Amino acid sequence: MFRLAKRPKPASSYIHNNNVKLIEGGHSYFDLLEKMIVNAKHSIYFQVYIFDEDETGKRVAGALKQAALRNVKVYLLVDGYASKDLSKEFILDLKGAGVNVRMFEPLLKSGKFYFGRRLHHKVIVVDVFHCLVAGLNISDRYNDTSENRAWLDWALFAEVE
């Protein structure tokens, strides 16, 4: 027998005591991201496809290292293919500060062959109550720099109050 599902609650009931904002890429996004990391008290869960070792990547890495040194649990997961150019020194520096760094790896790979899934997530969750879900990666291409304007991309910031 087919039964109709209960009528959904009005949309307003899902956002009670929550805050959701649309964030444009560039300075707006990276300033908010850094603020979230600096204000973290307990945990940071950070998943991203591209993490470049450029000015923007070093700025974000520095904030993550400082958070880890404040005894915030920091977990960074990057795609093993898209972030393959991160130097061993860069990763060891993050790990040395207490950041838990992992590469999302494919099933099979070689110098010319890559088979398997890739991590396209761009999700940052801080202290369980604050998150960014984005199309932006950690790279100067997504940030406003003295040399370039950021690619147009967006994120959603959500927090439980």
Side-chain angles (χ1 to χ4, degrees):
M1 177 187 284
F2 178 76
R3 289 187 177 174
L4 292 175
K6 288 184 180 179
R7 186 176 192 161
K9 295 179 183 177
S12 62
S13 67
Y14 292 104
I15 59 172
H16 182 68
N17 292 328
N18 295 333
N19 183 21
V20 178
K21 293 180 186 174
L22 184 63
I23 308 295
E24 186 174 352
H27 281 303
S28 298
Y29 175 80
F30 286 98
D31 290 348
L32 176 58
L33 174 60
E34 190 169 22
K35 180 180 175 185
M36 289 172 62
I37 295 169
V38 166
N39 291 324
K41 303 273 188 271
H42 306 287
S43 62
I44 299 170
Y45 293 89
F46 200 122
Q47 295 181 4
V48 67
Y49 180 60
I50 299 169
F51 198 118
D52 282 343
E53 196 172 335
D54 55 15
E55 179 183 337
T56 299
K58 290 175 183 175
R59 175 181 163 195
V60 172
L64 292 172
K65 290 187 296 187
Q66 288 300 313
L69 292 171
R70 292 191 321 268
N71 294 318
V72 174
K73 300 289 184 195
V74 181
Y75 302 92
L76 174 62
L77 180 63
V78 300
D79 185 76
Y81 178 77
S83 299
K84 68 183 177 293
D85 293 332
L86 288 177
S87 70
K88 289 182 182 177
E89 294 80 17
F90 187 82
I91 294 169
L92 288 173
D93 189 43
L94 283 163
K95 288 181 176 182
V99 177
N100 298 286
V101 181
R102 296 291 302 264
M103 298 287 241
F104 185 85
E105 295 291 348
L107 297 173
L108 302 167
K109 73 175 180 175
S110 71
K112 298 179 183 178
F113 181 77
Y114 187 97
F115 179 75
R117 297 188 58 124
R118 290 164 66 179
L119 175 83
H120 281 276
H121 303 167
K122 291 102 177 170
V123 178
I124 299 100
V125 179
V126 175
D127 293 337
V128 182
F129 295 105
H130 313 279
C131 74
L132 278 168
V133 178
L136 292 91
N137 290 289
I138 306 303
S139 173
D140 285 347
R141 291 174 285 181
Y142 296 87
N143 198 2
D144 297 311
T145 65
S146 57
E147 299 172 9
N148 296 311
R149 191 140 159 76
W151 287 359
L152 179 62
D153 216 328
W154 299 92
L156 281 177
F157 170 72
E159 67 181 341
V160 177
E161 296 179 349

